[in-house]
Amino acid sequence: MANVTDPLARPIHGTNPQNLIEYITRQRIYDSQYWKEHLFGCTAADVAEKAAIQLKAIGGSYGGNAKPTRFLSLVLKMLQIQPDDDIVYELIANENFKYVRALGAFYLRLTGRPADIYEKLEPLYHDFRKLRYRNPMDWRLMHLDELIDELLTEDRVCGIALPRLPNRDVLVDGCRMNTFNLDGPRNSTVCTKFDLPLNDIGSMGDAKLDYCTKAVY
């Protein structure tokens, strides 16, 4: 029963949330010592605490026997207990513990709606703190903004296949992002820093955004 998804958890992308991690990887996590000793009976608050104290790196599986990292184990635990969205957003907003932020961002990328993903993850492009990343056979350093870029652009991160994410401009053109104040191109940090004008989206873009605003409000 320790590996069963919370009965109150809602399906994600039409399936059991834990199925977002491949079966073989899930079984290795269930069999790991870290899962059995540290994650049994954890609540969302316990996961956040363990991420702050015990996480020292991110990554998927490593070694000849594909041992799962603690990061991946915590992701699976979050999928199992399905914390409230507000708790996930608090993890992402946490500026004191970079690995807590990385955990929340990865979980949201797996489970969130496209507009929510862009709204919550794009601001993290401004976080340049270094992260340890465990490859299957070695280590490397990466920055948190690199992780965010991979989550928004790549199909697999940390060895996990990510759900398909529509391009940002598709959501903007479809009026899906106005309610999140993300209409139009993403503001460039360079433009903000040097007071440069943002790209003009053109008269057709202005008309489209006016139409979307009227449709939403």
Side-chain angles (χ1 to χ4, degrees), residues 6-33:
D6 189 320
L8 298 179
R10 65 184 186 278
I12 300 296
H13 305 300
T15 186
N16 185 316
Q18 292 195 83
N19 291 343
L20 296 175
I21 293 182
E22 290 87 344
Y23 175 81
I24 294 178
T25 303
R26 290 203 314 272
Q27 296 305 313
R28 288 183 175 134
I29 294 174
Y30 295 151
D31 293 337
S32 68
Q33 183 177 359

Side-chain angles (χ1 to χ4, degrees), residues 48-56 70 97 100:
E49 180 181 358
K50 292 180 184 298
I53 297 174
Q54 299 178 354
L55 268 188
K56 304 299 181 184
R70 292 183 175 185
F97 299 99
V100 171

Side-chain angles (χ1 to χ4, degrees), residues 71-89:
F71 179 81
L72 205 57
S73 298
L74 287 169
V75 170
L76 182 60
K77 174 55 69 171
M78 291 182 67
L79 292 171
Q80 184 186 65
I81 64 178
Q82 197 175 81
D84 293 338
D85 291 343
D86 290 341
I87 295 178
V88 179
Y89 298 157

Side-chain angles (χ1 to χ4, degrees), residues 83-121:
D84 293 338
D85 291 343
D86 290 341
I87 295 178
V88 179
Y89 298 157
E90 285 298 319
L91 296 181
I92 296 173
N94 190 306
E95 297 183 354
N96 297 321
F97 299 99
K98 56 188 177 182
Y99 290 108
V100 171
R101 172 171 278 187
L103 179 66
F106 194 93
Y107 176 80
L108 181 65
R109 177 62 181 87
L110 284 175
T111 63
R113 296 181 303 167
D116 293 333
I117 293 171
Y118 282 109
E119 181 198 16
K120 298 299 181 181
L121 297 194

Side-chain angles (χ1 to χ4, degrees), residues 142-217:
M142 70 182 308
H143 297 82
L144 189 52
D145 64 310
E146 293 180 73
L147 173 64
I148 298 305
D149 189 64
E150 290 186 5
L151 290 174
L152 294 178
T153 60
E154 300 293 337
D155 296 327
R156 298 185 71 91
V157 177
C158 296
I160 301 301
L162 302 176
R164 181 182 177 277
L165 182 67
N167 290 334
R168 190 184 194 279
D169 55 353
V170 173
L171 298 179
V172 173
D173 291 342
C175 306
R176 299 292 183 86
M177 300 180 72
N178 286 67
T179 55
F180 301 98
N181 297 318
L182 288 175
D183 47 299
R186 182 169 61 87
N187 292 343
S188 169
T189 304
V190 175
C191 292
T192 304
K193 184 174 182 179
F194 295 101
D195 296 326
L196 298 176
L198 298 176
N199 293 331
D200 185 4
I201 60 176
S203 58
M204 292 186 63
D206 291 335
K208 184 177 293 183
L209 291 177
D210 289 340
Y211 171 80
C212 292
T213 302
K214 292 177 181 178
V216 172
Y217 296 102

